[in-house]
Amino acid sequence: MNKMSNSKTVLAGAVMLALGLLAGWGASRLWSDGSHGGKAGTAAPATSAAERKVLYWYDPMVPSQRFDKPGKSPFMDMQLVPKYADEADAASKPGVAVSPQAQQSLGLRVARAERQPVSSSIDAVGTVMLNERDVSILQSRASGFVERVYARAPGDVVAAGAPIVDVLLPEWLAAQQEFLAVRATGDATLAAASRQRLVLLGMPAELIEQVESSGKPQALQTLAAPIGGVITELMVRQGMTVGMNMTLARINGLATVWVEAAVPELMAAGVAPGQAAEVRLPATPGQVIRGRVAAVLPEANRETRTLRVRVELPNPGQRLRAGMFAQVAIQGAPQGDAVVVPIESVVRTGRRALVYVLDAPGRYRPVEVQLGPELGERIVVRRGLEAGQQVVASGQFLIDSEASLQGITARAAPPAGAASQAAPSPASAPSARTAPTAPAAAEHEVRGTVVEVERMAITLDHEAVPAIKWPRMTMPFQLARPDLAKGLKAGDKVIFRFRQQGDEAVVTAINPAGAAAGASTPMPPMPQSSAGARR
């Protein structure tokens, strides 16, 4: 029994030992696989990172600030984004590259620049007004008393000759009686002198003839409307005493009216008196009323920055009434053909206007343009584009943001008829590290200290630049070429030259201060640029 029991115990121990060994071997295999798996898992990102070199990390909302390692942005609640070397190389080429997937997601659309006839037609809104040149004033020519006022009120429309008021004029009555008495004496000379006195007192010829024919003085004088129109003012009431030259009523004619239009001051040069105009009113739908520009008032509205343009229109049937809203189209002379693009394709920065031109499939380049007048939904491009070029008409603001992020700037449109510049000979080429510059840009030479050097940018602590009223400060500059800053490091004293290119400051030449002083690699001469060519 004891032997059998011992055998069972030994057998059970052997089984337990075997199970323990098997479990340990399995655990060791599992750990080994996990370790190898972890290494393999980390190898793939390393290989991927090796394929694309990261230059720096940045916050897309603050792209000017760069970081040397990934992490969370200190400005926004988001992770920093890497900038890869291949992206920087692509950014060094002119234009912005957009993949087909990005074009589809952005809804990017292009339009063709076209050449079409252009006329200086200007559309504006206006208001119908009374013609202030067609005004008549009814006055009393002598002192007297108001005996009767006819049923009139301001706003009434009266015909020419309609009675307004009856006035008793004692002075006129006395003069008429004297004239009749002198005429009765038979002295023709005295009668003529007495009649001339009636004329000098201001009596109308009709009244004098009536006194002569009837032989009786006319005590009451009826003052009538001199023209047909609307009574805008009525300053007389029954029982009043009126004095000489007192205004009794003001009548505005209705044969013609004005439409006073508000024309933007940008278009004021295209408006002149005598130009034909077409007016449409909601009160007369489908009807076009033609008139001419009567005047361009010399004072602009300071709040709306518009000029007041008066268009004179005929008013048959008195259908046009003061206060009506009107749409005015002022027609100018044809100005020939011009290149036009959709208005929505233009990006206005406040200092200049840009369009993004399709250079190749998926690559867009910013171009500075000079704009002309607007033609409905299109706008004239006077300089910078040629007919047939394709421009971005939708999604250009996102492309513009990417161009700003990559430091891509647009070249100014060359002046019309500008002569091409001859290339310098190799013997006269400067020995300093100098990038080719546009001769139209003014350059400034200044001393500074290097703060930070990057591939396409350099941060400098520079002295004041009096020519452009810059104080001493530390700021980043774009490099015209990546090799300009080769060999420079933080703390180096340098003399550099830069120009303002749009919204950026671009370094075109830079040398250590010692090298410039020692004349081992002298700075090239400052380019001569005319004041008219500076931007």
Side-chain angles (χ1 to χ4, degrees):
M1 289 292 293
N2 291 336
K3 290 182 178 181
M4 185 177 296
S5 177
N6 291 337
S7 299
K8 289 181 179 180
T9 302
V10 172
L11 180 60
V15 171
M16 292 298 294
L17 179 61
L19 290 174
L21 292 174
L22 182 60
W25 177 81
S28 66
R29 289 288 298 173
L30 182 59
W31 177 260
S32 176
D33 292 344
S35 300
H36 289 299
K39 292 179 182 179
T42 57
T47 303
S48 177
E51 292 175 357
R52 300 189 69 187
K53 181 182 177 181
V54 177
L55 297 178
Y56 58 86
W57 280 262
Y58 66 96
D59 184 342
M61 304 302 294
V62 191
S64 60
Q65 187 68 34
R66 302 176 180 181
F67 302 90
D68 56 358
K69 57 184 177 181
K72 193 172 183 179
S73 170
F75 309 105
M76 308 294 292
D77 187 15
M78 59 186 299
Q79 294 295 321
L80 297 176
V81 178
K83 170 64 74 172
Y84 294 102
D86 54 356
E87 293 176 349
D89 293 339
S92 64
K93 300 176 182 179
V96 179
V98 182
S99 65
Q101 295 80 3
Q103 294 181 32
Q104 185 175 5
S105 62
L106 295 176
L108 194 144
R109 177 171 54 86
V110 297
R112 187 178 299 276
E114 300 176 349
R115 184 173 292 277
Q116 68 179 39
V118 175
S119 61
S120 57
S121 177
I122 299 175
D123 294 329
V125 296
T127 305
V128 178
M129 303 178 63
L130 296 176
N131 187 345
E132 293 293 335
R133 294 195 180 99
D134 189 10
V135 175
S136 182
I137 302 296
L138 182 64
Q139 288 184 329
S140 173
R141 297 184 179 180
S143 301
F145 311 98
V146 177
E147 295 291 333
R148 177 186 177 187
V149 177
Y150 291 81
R152 309 297 183 195
D156 288 350
V157 177
V158 296
I164 302 297
V165 61
D166 289 342
V167 182
L168 175 62
L169 303 175
E171 185 179 357
W172 282 16
L173 179 60
Q176 292 173 16
Q177 290 174 343
E178 180 182 344
F179 165 68
L180 292 176
V182 171
R183 193 180 66 162
T185 64
D187 190 336
T189 303
L190 290 177
S194 181
R195 190 181 189 280
Q196 184 64 24
R197 182 169 180 268
L198 299 182
V199 174
L200 295 177
L201 287 174
M203 292 185 192
E206 296 84 0
L207 177 61
I208 297 175
E209 293 175 359
Q210 186 179 0
V211 171
E212 286 181 321
S213 60
S214 64
K216 296 180 181 180
Q218 302 295 321
L220 292 178
Q221 308 302 319
T222 299
L223 304 182
I227 63 171
V230 59
I231 300 176
T232 55
E233 296 182 48
L234 186 63
M235 291 80 73
V236 62
R237 293 294 183 267
Q238 188 169 348
M240 285 179 56
T241 299
V242 297
M244 182 182 294
N245 299 329
M246 177 179 175
T247 299
L248 307 180
R250 186 176 189 270
I251 302 173
N252 210 127
L254 297 176
T256 58
V257 295
W258 286 343
V259 172
E260 194 164 283
V263 175
E265 61 181 357
L266 180 65
M267 305 178 182
V271 184
Q275 285 182 311
E278 296 181 350
V279 179
R280 295 172 174 82
L281 296 94
T284 57
Q287 184 178 0
V288 178
I289 305 174
R290 292 176 172 80
R292 292 196 173 273
V293 175
V296 180
L297 301 191
E299 187 175 358
N301 188 311
R302 298 181 181 180
E303 296 179 357
T304 61
R305 309 312 308 167
T306 56
L307 290 181
R308 294 160 59 193
V309 177
R310 287 176 179 169
V311 179
E312 188 169 325
L313 300 177
N315 188 22
Q318 301 177 6
R319 294 171 300 170
L320 305 182
R321 303 178 185 274
M324 285 183 172
F325 178 80
Q327 293 178 330
V328 183
I330 301 174
Q331 305 296 327
Q335 299 180 350
D337 294 346
V339 177
V340 297
V341 297
I343 293 179
E344 59 185 350
S345 65
V346 179
V347 179
R348 302 176 191 263
T349 66
R351 297 178 57 186
R352 56 182 180 167
L354 305 175
V355 295
Y356 280 84
V357 177
L358 177 64
D359 274 347
R363 183 165 289 277
Y364 304 90
R365 173 173 53 90
V367 174
E368 183 176 349
V369 294
Q370 180 180 347
L371 301 178
E374 296 182 2
L375 307 174
E377 297 181 354
R378 304 177 76 82
I379 190 169
V380 173
V381 177
R382 299 194 184 280
R383 194 164 64 221
L385 280 182
E386 298 292 338
Q389 289 184 294
Q390 291 186 323
V391 298
V392 179
S394 176
Q396 68 272 26
F397 290 101
L398 296 175
I399 297 179
D400 185 62
S401 300
E402 181 63 22
S404 300
L405 178 64
Q406 297 182 13
I408 299 174
T409 57
R411 292 183 178 272
S420 60
Q421 299 290 332
S425 61
S428 62
S431 59
R433 298 190 297 272
T434 307
T437 61
E443 293 194 354
H444 311 279
E445 188 171 306
V446 64
R447 293 177 176 270
T449 303
V450 177
V451 176
E452 184 182 3
V453 179
E454 299 173 0
R455 185 179 182 277
M456 292 297 296
I458 184 171
T459 302
L460 297 166
D461 178 11
H462 65 81
E463 297 177 348
V465 188
I468 52 177
K469 298 181 179 180
W470 278 12
R472 176 169 184 168
M473 58 182 171
T474 301
M475 62 174 287
F477 290 81
Q478 298 292 325
L479 293 173
R481 289 205 321 262
D483 60 338
L484 288 177
K486 185 177 180 180
L488 297 177
K489 62 183 183 300
D492 287 350
K493 304 292 184 179
V494 295
I495 297 178
F496 67 99
R497 187 177 298 156
F498 74 94
R499 68 172 183 266
Q500 290 180 283
Q501 185 170 307
D503 299 329
E504 301 288 346
V506 181
V507 172
T508 58
I510 186 169
N511 268 337
S520 59
T521 55
M523 295 278 283
M526 289 283 287
Q528 299 296 325
S529 59
S530 62
R534 296 180 182 177
R535 288 179 292 173

